[in-house]
Each structure stands twice: as structure tokens, then as C-alpha cells.
Amino acid sequence: MAWAACADPVRLATWHGDFSRKGPGLLLADLEKAPPDLGPILATGPDILLLTDVDYDAGLVALGKLRDLLADQGLRYPHLFALRPNTGMATGLDIDGDGYRGGPRDAQGFGWFAGQGGMALLSRYPVELGADHSALLWKDAPDSAIAADDPAHDVQRLSTSAHWALRVATPGGSLTLLTLAATPPVFDGPEDRNGRRNRDEVLLWTHVLEGKVGAVPDTPVALIGNLNLDPSRGNGLQEAARQVLEHARLQDPMPGVDTVTWDSTGPMRVSYVLPDRALSVTGRGVTPPSPDLGPHGLVWVDLTLP
């Protein structure tokens, strides 16, 4: 299978496929031993693909192996981008109160090891880092919902994984991707720590677009990734998702379209591609999930740059 090069439109996609394991090097071993069903990627052939649950290694070896598997099927990505995420990054604190330090819930972002379940970009076009807000402390985020007595109040980063602004040089012009993979707003207690952190992660890019954090991107943007939050269903502070969807800079090309179905909750919308209103949307969709890589569908949008 092959895809012809074209300048217009650009197909942008995000997928929370399960490219994560419980130990370093295990993802690479699995990819080499038994390549998974990559049907959602191959069926859509996105020009730019953000993965939001993929293990990070310093040499991007596992990501390179994934790229090679796709190239074997005729889909080539000459440009890769990933940085060490906050997942598994030690804080030195006992955040979860179990009496021990160094557990997966004691890290900056949940992780059994440094880099578990991070983010990565595969692109047909050159990509560079425009801004990295991943080190922003949760307490320093605008309108932060962190509790005053939070056990990691002075060291906890806001980003569970990362918040990268990535500039992609498409044939139609520069496009800035506002990426994230927020914590699930569950798996805690009545203090709702994960719910409040999810809210603030989801809202961070709106603060950037409004000039409250860092520089406002000077190119068209697309907010892309896993918000882990449905605007009307399930747990979480749903108003945060609605604020993003209603932001004056962004458009919602597929309102109400589900991206995952869990046995416990049923269908929900948690992954998003929200383009700048300056961009024209010419196509959109969500694939069925891969039988090997979890319940999430791949979300894609075709964009025409001005």
C-alpha cells in the first residue's frame, strides 16, 4: 500500500493506542517479536500522527522500530519527535501516602519507569519544538485547582506527560500543534486530585492562546491529543472540556463523536483534534480500534491551510 505525496490538504491524527509496557525495553521487544495490528494508522495514512501512550527511550529506538514497521507497509515518516515525558519521573516524595517512595503514583506522572506511556510525533514534514510547558509547576498554572495541602504542592508538575507546542512545516505553511495527554480524572478519592489536575491540564493551552502562559503561537494551531475528558459524560470536571471546545480560536470538526468504548462506562469522547478557525476542514473521522492496541479509535482531520 502506498500514499501519494500531496500538498493539500494535510491529514492530522492522534491515537491513544496502547504502545506502553510495564518495563523499559519491553515495547521494542514486542515490536520485534510480534508486530501489532497497525490497521488504524495504515487505513488512514495521516501526514502527521501524535501517539499519546507510547514508551519513551533516549534513542527513540522503539519509535524508530514502529516507523520501520509502517514503512514496510508503504507509509513513511521521515521525521520523528519525542522528548522525555513526566511519566515515571521521580519526585522523591510519597505522594500516594502508602508509606513508600518511588512508586508509579509518586512520580510526576503515573509511570512504572521513566518514560512509560509518553507522547511521540511521526510526521511526513519537518517538525521542531516551538515551546515546552512540561516543567510548569501545577501551582503556577493560571487559576490552578491544586489543593493547598497537596502532598507535592511545591514540586508537582502540571503535565502528566507533556505539553509541547510543535511547529510543523507543511507544504501549505507552518502549523503549530498544541499537544497533551492528560491524567484520567479517576483512580483517586474524595479529594479529587486527579480530577482537578486533569482540569488544569486540559485548560493550559487555552491560557497559552490567551497570552497568560508563554508566547501566543504566531501560526495557525491545532489542539491535539488525549484530554481524558468527555464534555458531558463520565467522571471529571466536564466544564473544562466545554471551555476548550468553545474557545474562540478553535473549531470542533466532529461534535459528539465518540473516540473510545470502555466496558465500564460505554462510549465516550476523550481524544481530540481541534483546528484553528483559520483552517478549513475538508474531512474527519474516527477509526475502529486495533484488536491489539486497546479500545481507542484513531481520530483524524483533513485540513487546508490558508
Side-chain angles (χ1 to χ4, degrees):
M1 189 181 299
W3 289 263
C6 61
D8 187 28
V10 172
R11 178 161 291 182
L12 183 58
T14 186
W15 191 23
H16 198 68
D18 183 11
F19 293 96
S20 181
R21 304 295 183 265
K22 280 196 173 181
L26 297 182
L27 174 61
L28 176 62
D30 284 353
L31 292 175
E32 292 178 333
K33 178 176 60 178
D37 182 345
L38 300 174
I41 304 175
L42 296 168
T44 55
D47 298 304
I48 305 164
L49 171 64
L50 177 72
L51 299 176
T52 55
D53 188 20
V54 57
D55 292 344
Y56 170 84
D57 60 75
L60 305 189
V61 180
L63 186 62
K65 178 60 179 180
L66 177 59
R67 173 175 63 181
D68 293 344
L69 292 174
L70 293 168
D72 290 343
Q73 300 294 319
L75 183 55
R76 292 175 173 82
Y77 291 109
H79 304 282
L80 303 179
F81 183 91
L83 296 174
R84 181 186 177 185
N86 289 337
T87 51
M89 183 183 294
T91 63
L93 301 176
D94 176 20
I95 296 177
D96 62 1
D98 66 354
Y100 301 93
R101 301 179 184 181
R105 292 182 295 177
D106 298 325
Q108 290 288 2
F110 182 94
W112 291 93
F113 62 92
Q116 184 188 22
M119 297 196 303
L121 192 80
L122 300 93
S123 176
R124 290 179 54 205
Y125 313 125
V127 56
E128 65 179 6
L129 180 66
D132 184 358
H133 299 289
S134 307
L136 176 71
L137 294 181
W138 183 8
K139 69 182 180 66
D140 294 334
D143 190 30
S144 175
I146 192 171
D149 61 351
D150 188 275
H153 184 276
D154 293 334
V155 302
Q156 180 69 73
R157 295 182 174 191
L158 173 62
S159 305
T160 297
S161 180
H163 281 83
W164 304 324
L166 302 178
R167 295 174 67 105
V168 183
T170 79
S174 184
L175 174 68
T176 298
L177 307 181
L178 308 178
T179 68
L180 77 160
T183 191
V186 291
F187 309 123
D188 54 9
E191 78 285 352
D192 196 26
R193 184 179 197 264
N194 291 342
R196 289 181 287 108
R197 187 179 181 188
N198 171 274
R199 168 202 180 264
D200 288 352
E201 287 189 80
V202 165
L203 290 176
L204 181 60
W205 286 124
T206 67
H207 298 315
V208 171
L209 292 174
E210 292 162 6
K212 299 175 184 176
V213 176
V216 179
D218 58 1
T219 72
V221 303
L223 192 153
I224 179 171
N226 182 14
L227 274 60
N228 252 323
L229 188 64
D230 187 290
S232 61
R233 294 169 292 182
N235 293 317
L237 300 174
Q238 299 160 356
E239 176 61 25
R242 293 194 290 269
Q243 282 185 240
V244 172
L245 293 171
E246 296 167 2
H247 194 274
R249 181 79 182 265
L250 305 172
Q251 59 177 308
D252 182 4
M254 51 182 80
V257 176
D258 302 318
T259 65
V260 64
T261 300
W262 285 300
D263 293 338
S264 57
T265 63
M268 295 183 70
R269 185 186 189 190
V270 297
S271 292
Y272 298 77
V273 179
L274 304 176
D276 198 304
R277 289 185 181 272
L279 304 173
S280 298
V281 175
T282 59
R284 74 219 73 187
V286 179
T287 71
S290 162
D292 300 334
L293 295 168
H296 293 263
L298 179 148
V299 182
W300 61 271
V301 172
D302 288 343
L303 301 174
T304 301
L305 275 72

